[in-house]
Amino acid sequence: MASNTTQKAIEAARHCLQQAQTVACFSGAGLSAESGIATFRDEETDALWSRYDPMELASIDGFMRNPAMVTDWYNWRRSQLHEAKPNAGHRALAEQTELRQITQNVDNLLEKAGALPEQVLHLHGIIDANHCMHCDYTETDVGHTQPLRTCPNCNNGYIRPSVVWFGESLPELIWQESYRLCENIDVLLVVGTSASVYPAASLTDVARKQGATIITINPDPDNPTTISNSHIALQGKSGDILPLLLKGLTLRSQ
Ligand code: OAD
């Protein structure tokens, strides 16, 4: 439940959204936390990167050192996502059918909540897809039981998850579209991200430099974006705050 301070900040944020012509949302792992999906860096939870080494599980070098282990780890994450249901935050965002969603999340919970696939820009890829390391072979809806395989098309490269690993480029068209959006909006809603992984995190700077108002939603008052980059900081869980914030509003991205 929102405190009095948060309630006042929500009113200010609603006013700002009502005045805005164009809005976009930039989300991270915190948006899916209330669906039971672990975040990466929270100090008070079992965040993934406090339990596992990202360089072993989220880099091409780690994959080449131990491809079977990395494949199994992604299958474990896929099995968790298979069970997960969208939460009230996803649903509140998905109801905004003209709002573009830039997300770092590799889950499809926004889409499961009803967002149209073309509304959602997956900056870090999609965990439910695979591709070949060497040729242009791709797979979707991959499930969570396929062991490590070589490509059935070229018989040469390993099949790997279609998520962006450390040291890899973001998907070019999705990045360009996200950047263009952030250059041309009045308000950027920044939901559940530590905004610590670049270049994705630079989108908040892009929007701010163009004069956009930055509204953050995060339970952690020490979250770096909240401190350094936001005009309105809403402290709390996105599943609590987003329904209150967006109720009765119609937001558009262009
Ligand atoms: P992080 O784990 O770095 O940050 C999650 C943020 O969500 C933290 O600031 C939390 O305080 C906040 N949070 C936790 N519970 C929340 C809730 N219920 N409501 C709202 N916020 C909540 O996750 P990301 O910022 O998404 O990269 O991490 C960025 C990237 O780092 C990920 O996309 C991933 C990871 O390595 C790739 O997979 C390429």
Side-chain angles (χ1 to χ4, degrees):
M1 231 341 96
S3 68
N4 282 344
T5 320
T6 306
Q7 195 58 52
K8 275 194 184 153
I10 290 174
E11 285 310 318
R14 278 178 65 81
H15 180 71
C16 180
L17 289 167
Q18 267 159 342
Q19 304 299 311
Q21 302 275 327
T22 51
V23 180
C25 179
F26 172 55
S27 59
L31 175 63
S32 298
E34 289 155 88
S35 297
I37 308 299
T39 60
F40 294 93
R41 298 178 183 77
D42 276 85
E43 280 176 16
E44 288 166 20
T45 64
D46 281 343
L48 291 174
W49 296 156
S50 66
R51 289 185 277 159
Y52 304 102
D53 180 352
M55 288 307 127
E56 294 306 317
L57 295 164
S59 75
I60 193 67
D61 290 345
F63 181 66
M64 290 318 290
R65 272 193 291 276
N66 201 338
M69 179 196 70
V70 174
T71 301
D72 286 351
W73 191 72
Y74 282 90
N75 279 338
W76 167 71
R77 283 185 61 200
R78 286 165 174 156
S79 70
Q80 291 191 316
L81 282 167
H82 188 68
E83 306 293 321
K85 294 195 171 48
N87 64 54
H90 295 113
R91 289 195 294 274
L93 287 173
E95 276 172 19
Q96 300 291 330
T97 54
E98 291 173 60
L99 179 71
R100 299 302 299 278
Q101 312 279 345
I102 306 167
T103 188
Q104 298 162 92
N105 295 348
V106 296
D107 64 49
N108 62 356
L109 290 174
L110 278 165
E111 290 92 335
K112 268 194 187 171
L116 299 170
E118 55 269 27
Q119 261 183 284
V120 189
L121 293 160
H122 282 280
L123 276 179
H124 288 166
I126 299 180
I127 201 168
D128 201 21
N130 277 328
H131 65 270
C132 172
M133 286 178 61
H134 282 293
C135 73
D136 56 8
Y137 176 79
T138 57
E139 296 175 335
T140 53
D141 299 325
V142 297
H144 52 85
T145 54
Q146 300 246 32
L148 177 68
R149 288 163 298 138
T150 45
C151 176
N153 183 48
C154 69
N155 255 324
N156 189 12
Y158 284 130
I159 296 294
R160 57 159 281 183
S162 295
V163 299
V164 177
W165 282 333
F166 288 102
E168 296 182 324
S169 303
L170 303 189
E172 184 63 23
L173 292 178
I174 290 175
W175 171 245
Q176 282 172 9
E177 178 70 359
S178 304
Y179 198 96
R180 190 193 60 77
L181 263 174
C182 289
E183 282 183 313
N184 291 290
I185 40 169
D186 300 321
V187 177
L188 183 65
L189 263 180
V190 181
V191 180
T193 177
S194 62
S196 55
V197 173
Y198 285 79
S202 66
L203 291 175
T204 58
D205 301 319
V206 171
R208 194 185 165 101
K209 279 195 191 120
Q210 298 300 320
T213 300
I214 311 294
I215 300 174
T216 53
I217 301 178
N218 201 303
D220 176 8
D222 299 328
N223 170 49
T225 319
T226 309
I227 293 167
S228 64
N229 217 354
S230 71
H231 298 94
I232 303 177
L234 304 176
Q235 193 188 344
K237 296 179 175 181
S238 45
D240 292 335
I241 303 246
L242 279 168
L244 297 173
L245 181 66
L246 303 184
K247 192 173 179 201
L249 301 184
T250 302
L251 308 181
R252 289 188 180 81
S253 293
Q254 46 211 348

